[in-house]
Amino acid sequence: MGDEVILLGYWPSQYGMRARIAVEEKGIQYEYKEEDAFNYNKSPLLLEMNPVHKKTPVLVHNGKPICESLIVIEYIDEVWNHKSPLLPSDPYDRAQARFWADFVHRKVYDAAKRIWTTKGEEREGEKNEFIECMKLLEQQLGEKPYFGGDSLGFVDVAFVPFYSWFQVYEKFGNFNMEAECPNIIAWAKRCLQKQSVANTLPDQHKVYDLAIWIRKKLGIE
Amino acid sequence: MASNQQVKLLGVKGSPFVARAEIALKLKGVQYEFIHESLSNKSDLLLKNNPVHKKVPVLLHNDKPVCESLVIVEYIDEAWTGSTILPSDPYHRAQARFWSKFVDDKVFPAVFKAATNPNEKEREQGGEELRESLKILENELKGKFFNGDSIGLVDIAALFIAFWLPIIQEAVGLDLYNSEKYPKLDKWGQEIMNHHVVKEVLPDRDPLLAFFKGRFRSNTPSK
């Protein structure tokens, strides 16, 4: 096809992981460029391609940038529409997929982040909020193997990157994901059977070490 | 695709988010019933159909709910034929989604921070953030509308700036957004508020001003 596809990412970022999983699911030939995001060492390419937010992920397709992880997934799904559809074809089902991806993106992300960046009572509250979100998602998953049904879909790709951060949430939140929401763990492990997910998600210990380091740097303790 | 179907919109008439859904429905020529909700006394219908967020707007299409304003607008665009709200080209669609998200993620929070935060420093910070976001949008606007010659997703999302922001500013005594600093946005604002569909949907200004005055603290004017 003669497409040039570059993905700018940052290895522990759930947002970047989403874009990477989508690209891999579609079997797209791409070049991955790692950004040194936490040290604010942003590459000229990143600053040129995402001048508004200066954040990863950025998908650069034939020189044209697409930013914001969920938007990147939809773009990939629309352009490379010959295999592995990530969004359903029915408008109502698509609306549901977008709703739940947005839920993961905002509610789950915010609560999760605050588990390891706050302390005391505030942290306890965020942990409980996070667990509630997990239970809602378990309900939504139901008996299906994936949120997308029989194959990985938009919500799966949006949510599964959180798995790499579960150890961080568990250790700082002092709870056990398997005990609280076993179906989510089972679903995540199922997703990890997929090459695209296994190739993308970093090891939980590596992410945990990074979280400790970030907390020290930010003076949270 | 979807004719003679039952369409209801749960909403409140002052909400910029509800307005998005109404505009989309009217652009497509969809007949719908507007069900007025009370945010202080939410109906069983609302709670049942949006148990996760318990918010308006909620679109009920043959009793099946769609929630979240931008999700609703995209749904309306896909479920009914007629004038398109999102472009057909994937790259332009991605851009439209990007800028709509920008309005929600950057503009709204900045306005509310600048207008309502009890801490003065935070309000100033909010003002700065708003100025930055508006400048970015001012630069982004290339034609009559963000969507070109006709209104699209971004215009619908950004209508908040044209109609609600000036009212909020008046209510709390701010002047961050005006025609001098943002001439293109101001012109766009006039155009979109004059659009025949938008005109039908916009609520009355005075009750909304009174509402914001009542809800938000008054601040000393800042530039």
Side-chain angles (χ1 to χ4, degrees):
Chain A
M1 217 200 226
D3 278 313
E4 189 204 49
V5 178
I6 302 171
L7 179 62
L8 309 182
Y10 173 47
W11 69 269
S13 157
Q14 290 113 330
Y15 303 134
M17 289 179 222
R18 289 170 177 169
R20 201 161 188 185
I21 293 168
V23 165
E24 297 253 342
E25 267 300 291
K26 296 285 190 176
I28 299 168
Q29 299 278 34
Y30 72 107
E31 183 190 349
Y32 178 76
K33 290 191 192 233
E34 182 71 39
E35 289 286 328
D36 186 13
F38 193 74
N39 285 316
Y40 297 100
N41 201 11
K42 299 181 184 191
S43 72
L45 184 63
L46 174 61
L47 298 175
E48 183 197 336
M49 291 291 151
N50 191 358
V52 174
H53 300 301
K54 306 176 178 55
K55 286 183 178 175
T56 59
V58 180
L59 186 82
V60 186
H61 184 200
N62 294 331
K64 300 206 290 192
I66 298 95
C67 310
E68 296 296 309
S69 61
L70 297 182
I71 295 175
V72 170
I73 301 173
E74 288 219 52
Y75 175 80
I76 287 168
D77 202 41
E78 288 174 11
V79 173
W80 287 274
N81 56 12
H82 54 289
K83 81 175 256 200
S84 306
L86 296 171
L87 274 105
S89 48
D90 174 76
Y92 185 75
D93 295 336
R94 291 160 74 81
Q96 297 314 300
R98 287 176 179 137
F99 175 87
W100 287 104
D102 172 73
F103 176 80
V104 167
H105 189 70
R106 289 188 296 130
K107 283 228 141 166
V108 175
Y109 183 81
D110 284 348
K113 183 173 180 177
R114 287 197 274 262
I115 293 175
W116 65 280
T117 56
T118 61
K119 44 195 173 147
E121 253 184 61
E122 197 186 346
R123 175 191 288 181
E124 194 61 24
E126 297 299 339
K127 173 197 100 184
N128 291 332
E129 167 108 30
F130 177 79
I131 292 172
E132 265 194 57
C133 288
M134 292 300 107
K135 293 197 196 279
L136 267 173
L137 285 162
E138 266 191 331
Q139 254 179 47
Q140 196 46 38
L141 181 64
E143 297 297 316
K144 306 192 295 289
Y146 305 100
F147 288 93
D150 290 324
S151 55
L152 275 190
F154 193 40
V155 181
D156 301 279
V157 179
F159 184 30
V160 79
F162 281 82
Y163 179 78
S164 59
W165 281 77
F166 281 176
Q167 191 179 102
V168 173
Y169 309 146
E170 283 178 315
K171 290 207 168 169
F172 286 106
N174 192 26
F175 68 102
N176 183 278
M177 282 292 294
E178 183 93 52
E180 296 287 349
C181 31
N183 292 342
I184 294 293
I185 297 295
W187 158 82
K189 290 186 173 165
R190 200 175 297 130
C191 290
L192 274 160
Q193 301 295 315
K194 298 269 179 184
Q195 196 91 18
S196 59
V197 180
N199 284 352
T200 299
L201 262 55
D203 183 73
Q204 288 190 344
H205 303 294
K206 211 177 157 195
V207 175
Y208 179 67
D209 288 343
L210 178 77
I212 303 260
W213 183 80
I214 293 175
R215 281 168 56 96
K216 277 211 184 86
K217 262 218 152 184
L218 294 178
I220 309 168
E221 206 22 57
Chain B
M1 188 203 266
S3 54
N4 297 327
Q5 312 258 293
Q6 205 195 41
V7 181
K8 296 179 184 174
L9 181 65
L10 311 188
V12 299
K13 276 293 180 179
S15 159
F17 303 107
V18 174
R20 291 172 174 179
E22 274 209 277
I23 290 167
L25 286 168
K26 285 184 187 282
L27 282 172
K28 295 284 196 178
V30 178
Q31 303 278 37
Y32 63 99
E33 183 191 348
F34 190 100
I35 296 181
H36 294 264
E37 282 291 328
S38 162
L39 296 185
S40 53
N41 187 21
K42 297 179 183 184
S43 71
D44 288 340
L45 190 64
L46 173 59
L47 297 174
K48 176 183 141 200
N49 284 294
N50 192 358
V52 174
H53 300 302
K54 306 175 177 57
K55 286 181 176 177
V56 292
V58 176
L59 183 78
L60 287 174
H61 187 192
N62 293 331
D63 296 325
K64 296 205 304 185
V66 182
C67 307
E68 291 300 301
S69 63
L70 295 181
V71 175
I72 292 172
V73 173
E74 286 217 40
Y75 173 74
I76 290 168
D77 200 33
E78 291 175 5
W80 283 277
T81 54
S83 48
T84 53
I85 298 171
L86 273 93
S88 46
D89 169 70
Y91 182 73
H92 293 122
R93 290 162 73 79
Q95 298 312 298
R97 288 173 178 139
F98 177 89
W99 290 109
S100 315
K101 190 170 194 295
F102 180 84
V103 170
D104 278 1
D105 290 351
K106 298 286 175 187
V107 175
F108 272 90
V111 171
F112 286 99
K113 198 169 169 183
T116 71
N117 197 295
N119 180 296
E120 195 189 336
K121 273 212 127 175
E122 289 288 311
R123 287 200 302 276
E124 278 172 21
Q125 174 70 21
E128 234 348 277
E129 287 163 11
L130 180 60
R131 272 187 284 260
E132 259 182 60
S133 309
L134 291 176
K135 183 168 164 215
I136 291 172
L137 285 170
E138 175 84 5
N139 288 338
E140 185 56 25
L141 188 56
K142 307 256 174 359
K144 185 176 177 190
F145 298 112
F146 285 98
N147 193 46
D149 291 326
S150 58
I151 66 171
L153 185 71
V154 183
D155 303 284
I156 294 171
L159 179 62
F160 171 77
I161 297 168
F163 184 75
W164 278 264
L165 177 53
I167 300 174
I168 291 171
Q169 292 199 128
E170 190 181 325
V172 302
L174 283 174
D175 187 27
L176 297 161
Y177 170 60
N178 56 53
S179 56
E180 275 173 55
K181 283 190 226 142
Y182 308 99
K184 289 201 290 178
L185 273 176
D186 183 67
K187 185 154 182 276
W188 162 83
Q190 302 309 316
E191 290 280 6
I192 192 176
M193 288 193 292
N194 257 318
H195 186 283
H196 67 281
V197 161
V198 174
K199 262 202 287 211
E200 273 179 51
V201 168
L202 287 178
D204 291 328
R205 201 180 190 273
D206 291 340
L208 208 50
L209 178 61
F211 169 78
F212 285 126
K213 275 185 173 163
R215 266 197 71 184
F216 298 164
R217 51 175 289 146
S218 206
N219 301 310
T220 47
S222 62
K223 293 264 171 212

